[in-house]
Amino acid sequence: MSEDYVRQVRKVLGGAATPEEAEALADLGAALAEFRGEGHGSDDEAVRAEFGTPQQYAARLREALAPADVDPGEPAPAQGRVLGVPVDLRGPRSAAVRARVWNPADPAVWAPRLFGAGWTLNLGALAVRLRLIRPDDADAEVLEQIPPCVLRLAAAAPAAVTALGVGGVVALAGPVCPPTYRPPGPSPGASNAAVARRRRSPPPACSGSAPRRGRFAPRPAKTAS
Amino acid sequence: MASESGGGSRDERVAQLRKGVLELAILAILRDGPSYGGEIVARLAAHEGLVAHRGTVYPLLARLHKAGALSTSWSESPVGPPRKYYTLTPAGKASLRGLRSAWAQLNDAMTALLEGEDR
């Protein structure tokens, strides 16, 4: 019964699209098992009376986990402090924690680290100080006015810029790569006569000056004094 | 939960009123220590006016967990399947403090307003 109920809720949600939804569905399975263990057995009516229909439960869950519930202007504070240093061991799993690194509404440039002890840069405050944006440029009301397709495009822009950058670096790095190494011996197709001719011919003359000493230039022969 | 008279619309209005308060009530219950879903529902039911079904409480717990107000851990149950325990995080304690003072203000304002109406 509980598997059926969870399956129906999952179906109404259109699959567990986010980790939070997947976790909430796992919790629902455990909650139903606990409810059954309290003497309600597999009584469908009792389950529906306590949890609602799968459609109602899915609607409540969707409402509870809707992204709109996360206010980007109010990031979560650090988990705790040790000797005045903020410490957070949750990691950037929650949007409220991640919001610390982009919080234009908060003038403080330093925010508690997303994971570990110490501080990290609040890039939103930095952008405000550099006069790139205003503190209220990206609040919830403004975001609501932006069409979802534009937001998706904006979210994909960093990946596109990164791909262009990597492509550019590869294109620029190409010419400075060392040429293919050729061994000093005769090339496979050269005839013995051609090799002998090349060995006999003098090196190309330089323009009147002494040969420049490079890394691989031979040292001049020492003269006996 | 059902009203004596007035039909479903009154129930719905009461449910809407209670919904905003339930989050604060859950945070207040967890202030005393970690608890699991069934126990939270039972402790809410001990207060008339705060009775809530599991279908309401579990999504709220998921929301609070997502917001970073609660941390979770699994623990074996002596009578059944393992239970998920919810604990207030420092962010949850801060949220409780903020909501508590907001509730006190709201309560004073509404009491004054409603008593004024009675006169």
Side-chain angles (χ1 to χ4, degrees), chain A:
Chain A
M1 164 60 208
S2 64
E3 293 78 14
D4 278 353
Y5 188 91
V6 174
R7 200 177 302 125
Q8 286 176 50
V9 172
R10 186 193 303 273
K11 193 176 169 189
V12 177
L13 287 173
T18 64
E20 288 91 1
E21 280 180 6
E23 189 177 354
L25 288 177
D27 291 350
L28 174 60
L32 286 163
E34 185 186 314
F35 184 65
R36 267 189 324 193
E38 289 171 4
H40 301 285
S42 56
D43 184 353
D44 285 11
E45 282 305 311
V47 168
R48 280 170 196 266
E50 186 64 26
F51 289 84
T53 65
Q55 288 77 16
Q56 287 170 332
Y57 195 90
R60 287 186 200 125
L61 203 54
R62 189 179 284 143
E63 187 191 344
L65 298 177
D69 287 332
V70 178
D71 184 350
E74 289 182 21
Q79 207 172 6
R81 282 183 179 266
V82 176
L83 300 174
V85 178
V87 177
D88 206 318
L89 299 176
R90 289 169 297 179
R93 286 188 310 154
S94 116
V97 173
R98 289 195 297 272
R100 282 189 217 139
V101 292
W102 182 261
N103 184 17
D106 184 357
V109 173
W110 295 105
R113 276 175 75 101
L114 301 191
F115 184 77
W119 290 268
T120 188
L121 264 181
N122 171 10
L123 296 172
L126 203 62
V128 170
R129 289 197 181 192
L130 294 173
R131 296 179 184 277
L132 297 174
I133 58 167
R134 288 166 296 184
D136 56 351
D137 269 353
D139 65 8
E141 283 179 21
V142 174
L143 288 175
E144 275 172 16
Q145 302 301 318
I146 302 173
C149 58
V150 176
L151 281 178
R152 276 197 296 273
L153 264 178
V161 170
T162 306
L164 278 174
V166 170
V169 167
V170 169
L172 286 173
V176 298
C177 288
T180 310
Y181 174 73
R182 285 172 190 271
S187 57
S191 67
N192 287 343
V195 173
R197 207 166 37 245
R198 204 182 307 147
R199 282 184 179 161
R200 276 199 303 274
S201 62
C206 295
S207 55
S209 59
R212 190 168 57 89
R213 272 193 66 193
R215 282 177 63 193
F216 302 110
R219 286 173 175 277
K222 284 185 180 173
T223 50
S225 56

